[in-house]
Amino acid sequence: MQRIAVDMDEVMADTLGKLLARYSREQNTPLTKKDIEGKWLWQVLPPEGVELIDSYLLSDGFFEDIPVIEGSQEVLLRMSRRYQIFIATAAMAFPSSFDSKYRWLRRHYDFLSPQNFVFCGDKSILHADFLIDDMPRNLASFQGEGILFTAPHNVNTTGYRRVNSWQDVDAMFLT
Amino acid sequence: MQRIAVDMDEVMADTLGKLLARYSREQNTPLTKKDIEGKWLWQVLPPEGVELIDSYLLSDGFFEDIPVIEGSQEVLLRMSRRYQIFIATAAMAFPSSFDSKYRWLRRHYDFLSPQNFVFCGDKSILHADFLIDDMPRNLASFQGEGILFTAPHNVNTTGYRRVNSWQDVDAMFLT
């Protein structure tokens, strides 16, 4: 059975969406995903905006109620019948996120076994056939085939097979 | 550079020692590592004793002040200059342990990067050349070479190169 590792933030969890909504509301400045295409958030925001975003990420329970990315539950459920699915998230940058991330996964993807959750930093440690991730640097060090999940910051990245949505993941792995 | 993954409990952290000391004290029944050689703790204890041990493991902060296994700091420091060291712990069985385990690692092994910490369940996900672990089932599913670190429960296990101490690890990897 082939093994697919799946990233959480921007692939299963709309973390950026939550960040932008909160920033827009608190700063009274609308900021959308469209506005930051091809850039990192820290390239677009003033230094105090970057600090604000960091404070959101570090705040207690931030990762508790992030919206699920459309289609991820249905497609992962079907994939889990045909592949070994591991969830691999770079949690070490935000140690306060461990508990929230665990609970979030259990709440929204109860068909996945916690034995297959991996909270890590450097994703080159993953032994899997595929890694679906939005971060090119994670795909670059991964030993299997990296699949790039579209996020605003990576729209201009090349060199990987790309999926724009879970519908695309479905088409790639289930048809 | 070769990569070595290292388990935490019973390899870096004397978790069993802390469990046995607390059990002996509270139950007024001396129980030592010698008493459980070749067996799992749950094979030796009465059902209510097993429940008690589980309650220790699940209690807040249990993993906060576990003693460091002798030699692990010095030898890992020297190994980290010659190998990529990853710490891989089966934290998913005890989600309440995430924070404590992270802080414990930072406190006692400040030379290791959190980017190289892996909190997982099934260790077959690890991509490394070696895994030093006391659990035969972890070594069995690991793709590289498994090195068995002696613990009471595994004294009769065969089929792996064995190390009885960090002195042995030193001799195997640094000389």
Side-chain angles (χ1 to χ4, degrees):
Chain A
M1 199 182 250
Q2 283 192 304
R3 175 179 291 180
I4 304 175
V6 181
D7 175 41
M8 261 177 92
D9 296 309
E10 311 329 319
V11 175
M12 300 168 71
D14 187 10
T15 312
L16 180 63
K18 181 173 170 184
L19 285 173
L20 293 178
R22 184 160 163 192
Y23 185 87
S24 300
R25 196 173 59 239
E26 289 189 7
Q27 296 304 100
N28 216 358
T29 320
L31 188 64
T32 68
K33 291 182 183 176
K34 196 80 197 156
D35 296 328
I36 56 171
E37 275 192 359
K39 307 197 189 89
W40 297 99
L41 203 43
W42 51 265
Q43 294 178 302
V44 177
L45 296 180
E48 58 275 20
V50 175
E51 267 177 49
L52 209 56
I53 293 286
D54 281 345
S55 75
Y56 298 166
L57 287 166
L58 290 167
S59 64
D60 255 14
F62 176 83
F63 289 91
E64 203 73 48
D65 63 349
I66 296 185
V68 165
I69 288 185
E70 202 190 324
S72 61
Q73 289 160 308
E74 301 82 346
V75 176
L76 275 172
L77 174 60
R78 288 205 302 280
M79 286 170 79
S80 69
R81 298 182 186 128
R82 211 191 291 181
Y83 300 92
Q84 273 194 307
I85 303 294
F86 278 70
I87 308 304
T89 179
M92 292 302 153
F94 302 101
S96 61
S97 72
F98 296 147
D99 283 7
S100 297
K101 285 193 159 193
Y102 180 89
R103 281 194 298 268
W104 189 89
L105 285 170
R106 294 299 289 151
R107 192 178 309 131
H108 297 295
Y109 305 83
D110 61 1
F111 52 90
L112 295 174
S113 164
Q115 290 299 309
N116 291 11
F117 297 168
V118 186
F119 292 179
C120 59
D122 179 350
K123 291 193 182 176
S124 71
I125 193 64
L126 300 174
H127 180 78
D129 299 292
F130 301 93
L131 169 63
I132 303 175
D133 203 306
D134 68 301
M135 298 284 262
R137 73 152 183 267
N138 290 336
L139 301 182
S141 64
F142 176 64
Q143 297 295 308
E145 184 186 347
I147 308 288
L148 188 66
F149 198 99
T150 296
H153 66 81
N154 72 29
V155 293
N156 301 318
T157 301
T158 56
Y160 302 100
R161 281 205 285 168
R162 177 186 289 274
V163 285
N164 289 311
S165 64
W166 279 92
Q167 213 170 0
D168 284 359
V169 177
D170 186 314
M172 188 176 287
F173 289 102
L174 292 172
T175 53
Chain B
M1 199 184 250
Q2 283 191 303
R3 175 180 290 180
I4 304 176
V6 181
D7 175 41
M8 260 176 94
D9 297 308
E10 312 329 321
V11 176
M12 300 167 71
D14 187 10
T15 312
L16 180 62
K18 180 174 171 183
L19 286 174
L20 293 178
R22 183 160 164 192
Y23 185 86
S24 301
R25 196 173 59 238
E26 290 189 8
Q27 296 303 100
N28 216 358
T29 320
L31 188 66
T32 68
K33 290 183 184 176
K34 198 81 196 158
D35 297 327
I36 56 171
E37 274 193 359
K39 306 195 191 90
W40 297 99
L41 202 44
W42 50 266
Q43 295 177 303
V44 177
L45 296 180
E48 57 275 21
V50 175
E51 268 176 49
L52 209 55
I53 292 286
D54 281 346
S55 75
Y56 297 166
L57 287 167
L58 290 167
S59 65
D60 256 15
F62 175 84
F63 289 91
E64 202 73 48
D65 62 349
I66 296 186
V68 165
I69 288 186
E70 201 190 325
S72 60
Q73 290 160 310
E74 301 80 346
V75 176
L76 274 172
L77 174 60
R78 288 205 301 279
M79 287 170 79
S80 69
R81 296 181 187 131
R82 212 191 289 181
Y83 300 92
Q84 274 193 306
I85 303 294
F86 278 72
I87 308 303
T89 180
M92 292 302 153
F94 302 101
S96 61
S97 72
F98 296 146
D99 282 7
S100 297
K101 285 192 159 195
Y102 180 89
R103 280 194 298 268
W104 189 89
L105 285 170
R106 293 300 289 151
R107 191 177 310 130
H108 298 295
Y109 305 83
D110 61 2
F111 52 90
L112 296 174
S113 164
Q115 290 299 309
N116 292 12
F117 298 168
V118 186
F119 291 178
C120 60
D122 179 350
K123 291 194 182 175
S124 70
I125 193 64
L126 300 174
H127 180 78
D129 299 292
F130 300 94
L131 170 62
I132 304 175
D133 201 307
D134 68 300
M135 298 285 261
R137 74 152 183 268
N138 290 337
L139 302 183
S141 64
F142 177 64
Q143 297 295 307
E145 183 185 349
I147 307 290
L148 188 67
F149 197 99
T150 296
H153 66 81
N154 71 31
V155 293
N156 300 318
T157 301
T158 55
Y160 302 101
R161 281 205 284 168
R162 176 186 289 276
V163 284
N164 289 311
S165 65
W166 278 92
Q167 212 169 1
D168 284 1
V169 177
D170 186 315
M172 188 176 284
F173 288 102
L174 292 172
T175 53

